[in-house]
Amino acid sequence: MTNDKLQIVVIGGGAAGFFSAIAAAKANPHAHVILLEASHQPLAKVRISGGGRCNVTHACFEPQELVKNYPRGGKALLSAFTRFQSQDTINWFQAHGVKLKTEADGRMFPTTDSSETIINCLMSAAKAAGVELRTGTAVVGVKLGRVNSPLSHFEITLKSGEKLQCDRLLLATGSNPIGYKIAQQLGHTIEPPVPSLFTFNIKNEKLTELAGVSVNPVKLRLVVPESPHLEQIGPLLITHWGLSGPAVLKLSAWGARMLHSSNYQATLVINWLPYLKQEQVRQQLLTVKNNSPKRLIASHRAVDLPHRLWQYIVFYVGISSENRWAELSNKTLNQLVQELIQAQYSINGKGTFKEEFVTCGGVNLKEINFKTMESKLVPGLYFAGEILDIDGVTGGFNFQSAWTTGYLAGLAMVSDRS
């Protein structure tokens, strides 16, 4: 590398790394920006996210509302989102030839429904901006040169033995342990990383026989001993191993740390009819009993639920397939009401959510200046993306924090210093 240019190295060729490298190179064409990626295929998460469609962002354009979707990091992101938020992401991709569309739930995808569109866009933009992309280039360590100076100097050691030097360094390594290791060696505190966004394993054969049945909405309450109860309302999907769907994933994100602490053993309380009060549910059942006494309970639903789920609940409380509504006792009716609005299931471990690999934990946010994404401890050191103790719920929010922190870091790295 030459010495007359501002030397910038970005470690991590994911969404945040690419976005920051592009922003830096475009803002200062005279800077030498190198993007290092350990694997031979950069942007791996972008490729598989959203089932291969890439959930780029979410149609939420008010920073105060946007931050509500981050179990960790929302407060710190508020100022960052006033500088670069979802609308800015849409504008950026449109300026680079990629149009996004909004789905009914607010998620935004490229109109092509292909993550390759986003990958090709980022690769082309990086090349056009003059970013030097080096794939298959693993970093094993970073040393700090000048200290107590306005700008630190970094020496990066690659797995090959090669050494690079730079004036400004950005860590965008996601949840890769090497990023945490480097940050710690440079003096930063790491909040222990634990999984976020996962499904719940439920050992209930009769329930899992309903795999594929979805209900929208349900109200979920997570009960972990000696922890505050958490609630979510939204769609739920029954699977072969337990429960999934947006409501479960959001609950797993907000409860990530306490579920980890309880070894993923907890109680899940499900209200299958969240917009009805208990007495309203009871009255609906009584109305059907009075109006259709000769009908079979199992085949004549009293509430708006999928037929297979209604039958499962009916059989669960001891009603047989031959029982008619006229035969429903008050005791069984009370049990049925209870199961409809307060069913309890034991969570016995977590599954995976293959479209997202999200970790909560990472670099302590108090050690970062969120106007610039620069370290408060080491001048010239920057962070972006999931290496930070930031994680969002499913729906494009994790990518949005990557675009935002990457963009702000990229601009700040090439700004003049007094």
Side-chain angles (χ1 to χ4, degrees):
M1 290 191 289
T2 59
N3 293 320
D4 57 336
K5 288 185 175 182
L6 179 65
Q7 305 293 340
I8 294 172
V9 170
V10 176
I11 303 177
F18 261 83
F19 220 60
S20 61
I22 294 165
K26 287 182 72 173
N28 185 350
H30 300 294
H32 184 195
V33 181
I34 297 180
L35 178 55
L36 304 178
E37 168 55 36
S39 72
H40 291 281
Q41 286 285 342
L43 299 163
K45 270 194 183 179
V46 172
R47 179 169 279 106
I48 63 174
S49 78
R53 296 197 296 148
C54 188
N55 185 183
V56 177
T57 187
H58 200 94
C60 180
F61 308 114
E62 293 295 332
Q64 291 85 355
E65 291 301 311
L66 195 51
V67 297
K68 293 178 181 178
N69 295 283
Y70 295 86
R72 283 147 293 271
K75 185 177 179 181
L77 281 171
L78 182 57
S79 64
F81 284 149
T82 62
R83 294 171 176 80
F84 194 95
Q85 48 110 318
S86 304
Q87 187 62 56
D88 299 298
T89 300
I90 297 166
N91 296 344
W92 189 96
F93 278 102
Q94 186 158 339
H96 289 80
V98 176
K99 290 186 178 181
L100 304 180
K101 62 177 180 177
T102 306
E103 301 204 337
D105 59 4
R107 294 182 301 162
M108 300 195 71
F109 296 87
T111 55
T112 59
D113 278 328
S114 173
S115 59
E116 292 300 322
T117 301
I118 303 301
I119 291 171
N120 293 338
C121 172
L122 292 170
M123 294 283 280
S124 298
K127 184 177 181 181
V131 174
E132 180 185 340
L133 173 62
R134 296 178 61 173
T135 57
T137 307
V139 173
V140 295
V142 174
K143 286 184 178 179
L144 197 57
R146 298 189 299 267
V147 293
N148 298 324
S149 67
L151 193 62
S152 300
H153 170 90
F154 304 92
E155 182 179 87
I156 302 159
T157 303
L158 306 181
K159 190 175 181 180
S160 64
E162 181 185 355
K163 294 184 186 295
L164 302 176
Q165 294 186 343
C166 65
D167 304 301
R168 298 177 192 179
L169 174 66
L170 171 70
L171 296 181
T173 48
S175 56
N176 191 310
I178 187 62
Y180 300 143
K181 179 183 175 184
I182 292 170
Q184 271 188 312
Q185 288 174 341
L186 296 176
H188 278 278
T189 307
I190 304 297
E191 301 300 325
V194 301
S196 181
L197 286 185
F198 48 84
T199 59
F200 295 159
N201 291 347
I202 308 277
K203 292 180 181 177
N204 181 321
E205 288 185 13
K206 293 295 183 182
L207 179 69
T208 54
E209 284 176 4
L210 303 180
V213 171
S214 61
V215 186
N216 183 23
V218 300
K219 184 176 182 179
L220 303 180
R221 179 157 52 93
L222 185 64
V223 181
V224 178
E226 299 179 12
S227 298
H229 295 176
L230 298 176
E231 293 185 346
Q232 281 291 333
I233 292 181
L236 176 141
L237 173 68
I238 301 172
T239 69
H240 292 291
W241 62 89
L243 299 172
S244 184
V248 168
L249 295 170
K250 288 179 180 180
L251 202 56
S252 78
W254 288 97
R257 290 211 176 277
M258 67 185 202
L259 282 164
H260 178 77
S261 298
S262 71
N263 198 28
Y264 303 100
Q265 306 296 308
T267 300
L268 184 68
V269 181
I270 304 178
N271 183 345
W272 298 105
L273 303 165
Y275 293 131
L276 292 177
K277 294 179 180 179
Q278 180 171 328
E279 191 53 37
Q280 289 175 309
V281 174
R282 183 186 305 278
Q283 287 303 318
Q284 282 195 207
L285 298 181
L286 288 172
T287 298
V288 173
K289 179 182 178 179
N290 293 331
N291 294 344
S292 307
K294 295 182 180 181
R295 300 288 297 271
L296 295 173
I297 298 172
S299 59
H300 188 61
R301 287 172 293 165
V303 292
D304 186 18
L305 286 178
H307 185 66
R308 289 169 63 201
L309 177 61
W310 168 256
Q311 287 191 327
Y312 160 79
I313 293 172
V314 164
F315 296 152
Y316 182 83
V317 299
I319 299 170
S320 79
S321 58
E322 303 302 319
N323 287 146
R324 301 182 186 277
W325 276 101
E327 302 165 355
L328 184 65
S329 68
N330 285 336
K331 180 181 177 182
T332 306
L333 183 140
N334 290 337
Q335 291 174 331
L336 188 54
V337 171
Q338 185 74 7
E339 198 61 28
L340 286 167
I341 66 171
Q342 207 168 358
Q344 294 194 17
Y345 295 92
S346 294
I347 297 172
N348 304 107
K350 65 177 180 64
T352 57
F353 182 47
K354 295 179 181 178
E355 294 179 5
E356 301 267 2
F357 298 93
V358 176
T359 302
C360 81
V363 175
N364 187 301
L365 305 185
K366 293 179 181 177
E367 300 169 354
I368 309 298
N369 177 350
F370 268 75
K371 290 183 178 179
T372 61
M373 303 314 301
E374 186 176 18
S375 163
K376 293 179 180 178
L377 310 179
V378 183
L381 176 64
Y382 296 79
F383 296 91
E386 203 186 337
I387 188 174
L388 296 160
D389 186 18
I390 294 174
D391 62 289
V393 298
T394 184
F397 299 104
N398 286 294
F399 271 135
Q400 185 54 53
S401 65
W403 309 132
T404 294
T405 56
Y407 185 80
L408 296 181
L411 293 187
M413 284 192 294
V414 297
S415 66
D416 292 330
R417 293 168 182 255
S418 55

